[in-house]
Amino acid sequence: MAYLPKPMMADSVKSKNYISASFANNSLPFETGEMVMGFVNYNRSHVIDNINFSYGAFTYFGGTGNGYENAQRIVLKNFYDQGFIGLGARTSIGIAERSGNTEFRIISWDNAIVYEGGGYSSFRKNVRSTNDSLSISANQTTMFTTGGSTEIIWQGSKNKDRQYGFRLFIGSTIGLKRNINYTDERISGLATDLSFFLKIRKVYGIFSNGTNLRNNSAKITLGYSF
């Protein structure tokens, strides 16, 4: 669940475009595998009084890397070097209050839907079809994640072109937990994301760390607003 930048209530421009590129590293449950991912993101955001909202699209691509093996969990050889690509859309709408140079984005409703294809998706489907109680796999290729977030963002006291923010998101990918066929131990946990946002004039960066049903991911984003 990516952080969607938005204008602050104090900004003179109330509607902005944001384009960015991201790099992410993802660790699968129980360290059974790793993957690297690249993203290209676009969103447009608006602020009207104390209401803010965003909408946008993204694409991502990547592949699987090394896995962890022991006598109980042996990674299938054809897990390695599987590629994938995805397309998706994101939305966010929330309410905020302003105090001096600080803005409290009290609650936002964030959503993302994605369609994934490629060799890794086919691999997941094949593993899921075996119903092996020790395999960890889902065959979904369309995924919808929704939840709520809260954020604090502020401007520099002397330099208004600098903004800093922290956001916490908590939600769930609908149906994913039921779709996973691993029965030896229950896969639990919510989808979470903690992001730090830094903007200097029109350039911004985001560092995020997230989890989703024991997947762990760190992501770095660099973007431009106009």
Side-chain angles (χ1 to χ4, degrees):
M1 287 298 294
Y3 179 96
L4 293 182
K6 303 170 184 175
M8 291 185 64
M9 297 168 68
D11 288 352
S12 58
V13 178
K14 304 299 184 182
S15 298
K16 291 184 180 180
N17 298 288
Y18 299 85
I19 56 173
S20 64
S22 307
F23 172 80
N25 180 271
N26 189 55
S27 176
L28 299 180
F30 306 108
E31 298 180 338
T32 49
E34 293 183 352
M35 57 184 63
V36 293
M37 307 171 68
F39 292 77
V40 177
N41 315 284
Y42 166 79
N43 71 280
R44 182 166 175 81
S45 299
H46 310 266
V47 57
I48 301 174
D49 295 328
N50 65 333
I51 304 295
N52 57 67
F53 59 97
S54 298
Y55 47 89
F58 64 100
T59 182
Y60 68 91
F61 50 89
T64 56
N66 294 329
Y68 166 80
E69 297 186 14
N70 61 25
Q72 292 182 325
R73 291 190 182 91
I74 300 176
V75 178
L76 298 176
K77 298 302 180 183
N78 54 348
F79 166 83
Y80 303 107
D81 299 321
Q82 294 281 358
F84 52 82
I85 187 170
L87 296 171
R90 301 183 178 113
T91 64
S92 177
I93 184 169
I95 59 174
E97 293 291 341
R98 178 184 174 186
S99 176
N101 66 337
T102 302
E103 185 173 310
F104 299 93
R105 294 174 176 170
I106 303 167
I107 187 69
S108 296
W109 180 32
D110 300 337
N111 301 279
I113 187 168
V114 62
Y115 172 78
E116 182 179 297
Y120 182 62
S121 296
S122 299
F123 169 78
R124 290 193 292 107
K125 291 179 179 180
N126 290 335
V127 173
R128 180 68 176 82
S129 67
T130 66
N131 289 318
D132 181 354
S133 63
L134 288 180
S135 68
I136 305 171
S137 185
N139 59 14
Q140 286 180 247
T141 53
T142 300
M143 287 161 281
F144 175 66
T145 303
T146 186
S149 67
T150 187
E151 179 183 355
I152 181 172
I153 185 169
W154 67 95
Q155 294 175 324
S157 57
K158 295 182 179 179
N159 192 335
K160 301 299 184 181
D161 286 333
R162 297 189 179 184
Q163 298 177 358
Y164 313 84
F166 288 94
R167 183 203 71 161
L168 174 64
F169 167 87
I170 299 177
S172 177
T173 301
I174 304 302
L176 181 59
K177 185 175 180 178
R178 293 193 304 271
N179 188 260
I180 295 175
N181 65 320
Y182 183 52
T183 57
D184 185 60
E185 182 180 336
R186 186 176 180 83
I187 298 290
S188 61
L190 297 170
T192 67
D193 180 83
L194 178 63
S195 296
F196 170 69
F197 172 75
L198 169 64
K199 182 173 177 287
I200 302 176
R201 295 186 179 180
K202 295 185 177 182
V203 177
Y204 64 91
I206 305 167
F207 177 75
S208 302
N209 191 76
T211 63
N212 193 351
L213 298 181
R214 289 201 170 185
N215 286 272
N216 295 286
S217 180
K219 183 165 64 175
I220 297 175
T221 300
L222 183 64
Y224 182 80
S225 64
F226 57 96

